Amino acid sequence: MSLADLRTFLLTAALASAGAIAAYLLGLPAPFLIGPASAVSIAGLAGLRLSIPTSVRNACFVAVGLSMGAGLTPEVFVAARTWPLSFHVVPVAIVILLYSATWILQRFFGYDRTTALLAASPGHLSFVLSLAADTRSDLLAVGVIQSVRVLALTLTVPLIVEVLDLVGTTPPPAATMAIWPLAISFSAALGLGWVLMRLRVPAALLMGGMIASGSAHLSGMVEGNLPAWVLIPTYVLLGGMIGSRFSGVSVRALRTAFVAGGVVTVVVVVLAAMIAALVSHIADVPVDAALIAFAPGGLETMAAMAVMLNAQPTYVGAHHILRLLLLSGLMPYVLRRDLSRN
């Protein structure tokens, strides 16, 4: 990392921390995600150059996975008996959200079919942007609309859960993982994540952390969750990473894309909430868990949010991983004509 990159990272981390403190003092839900995302977004739109290094981002993904795995207990497997009903709704939800948003972007904002489909994809941002680079789409518009969606969902989902009083019952304080089991778990997660990356598995580092931690906790080798001094900085940096996507973006030049992203986000949030309410009813899943599971936000962010709000993180993570896998096959198919021209 160069000295300039280090300064950029330290500035981003400082702004994210300030946003987290402000959100915490204001009593906002999920303050360590909402505050940093808001503060860094505003600073980025104001013209500051902000970013989170890839190595730091990857460490955060591993930490979120380890925290999710720490909640894997025998009781989770009992609850998982009803999950297949919920899983069957995931592909239906993807199609509804994708084509509803595509229609809006084409009908009201004048985007071409390819750009609209890519911008409307309910998640898998890095994969979507790589597909966009292989088409004749408006890459900048796709990136902005997708980033607006991720930011808006990060800000609104905890507020919806809080306002509607959907927050899960807070469990008694769990034991904190000791330093050596934590270090060993982290190393094992990195190794497993590397293997999964080689196999091109989506969210490989998060899954590596979840599998390593879950296996260790189920076997009784490790007890307790990650300490707060690991989790809180992880959430703050994830929030900063979301906000840094707007660094250097001109609001005036991309006004249409910002408005389009906002409108599409409102529509998909409403549709996802309706789907979540149905799933909660038929699968006997808490509404907060279903809402976070079907919200088309980033996997790592939604998983972290589920941990923070005690909203069945394993259930949420499983649904978002399934969504990524389905999108990995669906998006190249719906874009096959456009991809074949390049």
Side-chain angles (χ1 to χ4, degrees):
M1 184 188 302
S2 67
L3 184 59
D5 290 337
L6 178 59
R7 284 198 295 262
T8 299
F9 168 53
L10 292 176
L11 175 59
T12 306
L15 288 168
S17 300
I21 292 170
Y24 178 79
L25 294 176
L26 290 172
L28 296 178
F32 304 121
L33 281 174
I34 287 181
S38 302
V40 176
S41 295
I42 293 170
L45 291 171
L48 291 180
R49 180 173 174 266
L50 305 167
S51 66
I52 299 293
T54 301
S55 57
V56 176
R57 181 201 65 184
N58 289 344
C60 291
F61 292 168
V62 172
V64 172
L66 289 173
S67 183
M68 292 172 66
L72 195 59
T73 63
E75 290 75 18
V76 170
F77 289 97
V78 175
R81 294 174 183 173
T82 62
W83 292 3
L85 292 172
S86 185
F87 285 154
H88 281 89
V89 181
V90 173
V92 178
I94 289 174
V95 171
I96 291 173
L97 298 183
L98 174 64
Y99 284 101
S100 297
T102 299
W103 181 79
I104 290 171
L105 291 173
Q106 287 186 278
R107 176 69 176 81
F108 296 102
F109 296 95
Y111 289 110
D112 61 88
R113 176 183 177 275
T114 305
T115 299
L117 279 168
L118 287 162
S121 175
H124 220 339
L125 177 60
S126 58
F127 177 66
V128 167
L129 291 178
S130 68
L131 288 177
D134 290 333
T135 66
R136 297 175 183 175
S137 63
D138 186 339
L139 180 58
L140 198 54
V142 172
V144 170
I145 293 171
Q146 286 280 357
S147 296
V148 168
R149 173 185 55 79
V150 172
L151 174 64
L153 285 166
T154 302
L155 300 180
T156 58
V157 170
L159 293 173
I160 292 172
V161 171
E162 177 82 9
V163 169
L164 298 182
D165 195 25
L166 304 176
V167 181
T169 303
T170 303
T176 299
M177 197 181 299
I179 186 67
W180 282 113
L182 174 62
I184 294 170
S185 297
F186 197 90
S187 300
L190 279 176
L192 184 54
W194 181 83
V195 172
L196 295 176
M197 288 175 66
R198 300 283 293 180
L199 296 174
R200 299 184 180 275
V201 175
L205 291 170
L206 183 142
M207 288 190 66
M210 184 169 64
I211 294 171
S213 178
S215 301
H217 279 79
L218 283 174
S219 66
M221 295 172 58
V222 175
E223 293 182 355
N225 202 348
L226 273 67
W229 58 266
V230 173
L231 284 177
I232 292 177
T234 294
Y235 299 146
V236 170
L237 291 172
L238 282 176
M241 180 191 71
I242 293 167
S244 67
R245 289 173 175 152
F246 294 100
S247 177
V249 174
S250 168
V251 178
R252 179 176 299 176
L254 296 172
R255 186 174 299 162
T256 299
F258 270 92
V259 173
V263 171
V264 165
T265 301
V266 170
V267 172
V268 299
V269 165
V270 171
L271 290 173
M274 294 170 63
I275 293 169
L278 175 64
V279 169
S280 176
H281 176 71
I282 64 175
D284 193 27
V285 175
V287 179
D288 58 343
L291 178 60
I292 300 173
F294 283 89
L299 166 60
E300 294 82 7
T301 308
M302 294 295 108
M305 192 178 298
V307 173
M308 293 179 71
L309 299 177
N310 187 37
Q312 295 199 5
T314 308
Y315 169 85
V316 170
H319 281 69
H320 280 285
I321 290 167
L322 176 59
R323 176 168 57 90
L324 295 188
L325 292 171
L326 292 173
L327 283 170
S328 297
L330 176 63
M331 293 308 296
Y333 176 76
V334 299
L335 293 166
R336 61 192 182 282
R337 287 181 295 173
D338 306 282
L339 292 169
S340 64
R341 295 172 186 166
N342 294 273

